[in-house]
Amino acid sequence: MPFNSLVNMAYVFLGVYWLRSQARAPGGPAERRRARYLKDVFAGMALVYGPVQWLRIGMQTQPTAVLDQWLTLPIFAWPVAWCLCLDRGWKPWLFLAVEGLSLCSYSLALLHPHGFELALGLHIAAAVGQALRIQGRHGNISSGTYLALGVLSCLGFVVLKLCDHELAQWHLFQQLTGHFWSKVCDVLQFHFAFLFLTSLHTC
């Protein structure tokens, strides 16, 4: 429990780091402002996610669990919107449509016991699909490396979380559980998503 709580600080540090970083984009001031907006919204999500995780761990209530899930989906949806912006240009209605659809998808959790897992799986598939598409159109070796590391981190996040109880039989996962390592992978996928998406602004 202490380690699962402490790892949430990494989300806060990650959010602060990327909020303070400079957005680089070719073109004039308008393009740089848009690149900064895309980065800062995602960084703000990371910054908020850490305290939400602390609330869930500390309170262990249904509302805090729902809040955690409710925030997770738009976080995974933002890279989809970011990729669409890089591919199709600045269209604010597109952000609203993607994030609105993401929030509506939470209704799957109300319809089936595994509805949230289905919604999250669809978000992950959409994010990876859009990332591969934008890499193919505008990427380079550097962005491809960030994408590969991000996908590996995402895979670690999913597998370690799903296999948490099974992994507990192994000594390696008794002090630092699969849940803990899944959160480490989650922070890493966040960071590699930033590196991938911001690098495409400079391509």
Side-chain angles (χ1 to χ4, degrees), residues 1-202:
M1 183 66 76
F3 291 108
N4 286 342
S5 182
L6 285 172
V7 75
N8 293 319
M9 294 179 66
Y11 294 106
V12 176
F13 292 145
L14 185 71
V16 170
Y17 171 81
W18 281 101
L19 278 172
R20 292 172 60 89
S21 70
Q22 296 296 317
R24 294 172 295 171
E31 285 76 14
R32 285 192 293 273
R33 281 197 304 272
R34 290 168 180 170
R36 184 175 183 85
Y37 172 79
L38 291 164
K39 173 188 69 70
D40 287 353
V41 168
F42 202 37
M45 290 177 171
L47 194 61
V48 170
Y49 194 62
V52 167
Q53 289 285 297
W54 279 320
L55 274 176
R56 181 174 187 175
I57 290 173
M59 298 182 71
Q60 296 287 315
T61 62
Q62 182 68 18
T64 55
V66 170
L67 178 62
D68 174 22
Q69 293 180 340
W70 187 78
L71 186 58
T72 297
L73 296 180
I75 288 173
F76 272 96
W78 191 252
V80 176
W82 197 336
C83 286
L84 289 172
C85 179
L86 288 168
D87 194 37
R88 301 183 183 185
W90 185 258
K91 297 177 180 177
W93 63 267
L94 199 54
F95 301 139
L96 292 174
V98 169
E99 291 297 318
L101 186 61
S102 171
L103 291 172
C104 289
S105 73
Y106 187 74
S107 62
L108 291 173
L110 307 176
L111 299 174
H112 192 275
H114 298 293
F116 174 75
E117 288 80 1
L118 175 60
L120 182 57
L122 292 172
H123 278 68
I124 291 172
V128 172
Q130 283 297 323
L132 290 171
R133 184 169 179 268
I134 201 75
Q135 169 64 22
R137 291 192 173 194
H138 306 288
N140 54 28
I141 293 174
S142 179
S143 63
T145 302
Y146 296 142
L147 176 57
L149 292 171
V151 171
L152 283 174
S153 299
C154 184
L155 185 62
F157 164 71
V158 172
V159 171
L160 289 166
K161 187 175 284 291
L162 290 177
C163 299
D164 186 22
H165 295 296
E166 290 78 6
L167 291 170
Q169 64 183 309
W170 301 94
H171 181 72
L172 178 65
F173 294 99
Q174 288 174 357
Q175 293 297 321
L176 298 176
T177 64
H179 180 74
F180 168 82
W181 290 113
S182 76
K183 292 172 79 66
V184 172
C185 288
D186 191 24
V187 173
L188 288 173
Q189 72 174 338
F190 236 133
H191 185 58
F192 288 126
F194 274 112
L195 289 170
F196 170 69
L197 292 163
T198 55
S199 71
L200 290 173
H201 282 289
T202 60

